[in-house]
Amino acid sequence: ARSTFTATLAPGTVLRDTVRIVNTGNRSVVVDLYAADAYLVGERGAFAIRNRNERKTGVSRWVRFGAKTRFRVNARKAIEVPFEIRVPKNAQPGDHVGAVMTAGVRTERTRGSVNIKVRRRIGARIYLRVPGKLTPQVAVSSLAAEGKPALFPYIKGKGKTTVSYEITNTGNVIMEPTAELQLRGPFGNVVDTIPVDVPELLPGTSVVQTTSFDTLPPYGLLEAQLVVKSDDVADARSAQVWSVPWAPALVLLVAGLVWWTRRRLRRRGAPDADAEPMPA
């Protein structure tokens, strides 16, 4: 009835459990059983599991199966395989996340004009906490803002502000932070606010996202600020963005140059009031 393996284990202890593999198909299948570490992928921070041949650096190093890791599961049948999680004595405190995986030995070909070989995998997540000094911490690792002012503000659109940022779990426990992105004017006034959807962050993982404001008022120098919070920890970072209405500014500049040039020409053509009159 469980979909995950969740436990709190002290260093030097062993957890013995069983994984149940069910074949819901109409023919027998051969599968490989292994453990792998978890990581995040994409802007949404999707939960992903590393491949079997990738280096094991997390909880997957502590998982032990028997001598046999390849099994045949008959159609509409299930098998149960025991395994152990042996936590080393020097295990670091905090959350360690991975999965017990099964992968089909035989690859399948997709239907259609493109011929692709597919190997199906399915697994159950492992959420293991090692007690000790827990340090929840989240950080805005980087933030950059780029503005695209409207050609004629309030006539031909409101402009656009694009903000790219990276949020990192720098602690040793899983974090589920909330975040808010603000666009502020030159005097600290809030122009716009956008709530940011941050996924569950595993320890040591990051998520890189991009959010846009559908506005960039012609206030000169503005500031985009991201604030990330989770329980009693928080972090913030900001970046400046310029908003100058170049088209109106160029029109004013040209008008000023024309006025200045005409004024200079008039001054050059006017007679000097202090000059003596020419003799007749």
Side-chain angles (χ1 to χ4, degrees):
R2 293 175 296 164
S3 59
T4 62
F5 296 101
T6 304
T8 298
L9 296 177
T13 58
V14 179
L15 170 70
R16 293 179 175 86
D17 211 325
T18 302
V19 59
R20 190 166 188 259
I21 306 171
V22 183
N23 180 1
T24 60
N26 295 320
R27 61 181 181 180
S28 64
V29 294
V30 178
V31 297
D32 287 327
L33 183 64
Y34 62 95
D37 299 316
Y39 68 106
L40 303 182
V41 62
E43 278 200 6
R44 296 182 180 271
F47 188 97
I49 299 297
R50 300 198 179 278
N51 292 324
R52 184 180 186 180
N53 56 357
E54 292 188 66
R55 181 185 176 189
K56 300 180 185 296
T57 59
V59 68
S60 64
R61 296 177 299 171
W62 308 342
V63 179
R64 298 287 185 273
F65 299 103
K68 183 179 179 181
T69 57
R70 177 169 289 185
F71 304 91
R72 178 179 294 277
V73 187
N74 294 326
R76 304 292 180 177
K77 298 293 182 180
I79 63 171
E80 294 188 354
V81 183
F83 70 94
E84 295 180 344
I85 300 179
R86 294 182 170 269
V87 184
K89 294 182 179 180
N90 61 348
Q92 295 297 316
D95 293 332
H96 304 266
V97 186
V100 175
M101 302 294 296
T102 58
V105 173
R106 189 178 65 176
T107 58
E108 304 174 17
R109 294 183 181 273
T110 58
R111 297 178 180 179
S113 57
V114 180
N115 189 4
I116 301 175
K117 292 183 179 180
V118 178
R119 172 172 289 183
R120 300 186 183 274
R121 300 193 306 165
I122 192 169
R125 300 183 186 187
I126 299 173
Y127 290 100
L128 176 64
R129 171 164 290 187
V130 177
K133 185 178 180 181
L134 303 181
T135 56
Q137 190 65 49
V138 64
V140 183
S141 307
S142 64
L143 186 142
E146 182 180 2
K148 186 178 181 182
L151 191 60
F152 293 95
Y154 308 119
I155 298 176
K156 292 290 186 179
K158 297 181 180 180
K160 187 176 183 179
T161 308
T162 301
V163 185
S164 301
Y165 48 88
E166 181 179 13
I167 302 173
T168 303
N169 182 349
T170 55
N172 63 1
V173 295
I174 296 173
M175 303 290 288
E176 297 184 46
T178 60
E180 185 178 77
L181 189 63
Q182 287 189 344
L183 183 64
R184 296 176 174 269
F187 303 105
N189 55 303
V190 178
V191 176
D192 199 359
T193 301
I194 297 178
V196 175
D197 184 20
V198 184
E200 178 185 75
L201 294 177
L202 308 180
T205 62
S206 300
V207 61
V208 179
Q209 297 178 324
T210 300
T211 304
S212 296
F213 293 97
D214 292 328
T215 183
L216 183 59
Y219 293 168
L221 186 62
L222 292 91
E223 182 182 71
Q225 184 184 60
L226 178 66
V227 179
V228 181
K229 299 179 181 179
S230 181
D231 297 331
D232 296 330
V233 299
D235 192 33
R237 188 178 287 243
S238 60
Q240 295 179 335
V241 56
W242 283 93
S243 176
V244 179
W246 296 111
L250 184 60
V251 171
L252 290 175
L253 178 62
V254 172
L257 287 174
V258 170
W259 174 83
W260 181 81
T261 303
R262 293 181 64 181
R263 187 170 181 271
R264 293 277 296 177
L265 291 174
R266 280 198 298 267
R267 290 186 62 182
R268 287 182 181 180
D272 192 347
D274 296 331
E276 295 182 0
M278 294 290 292

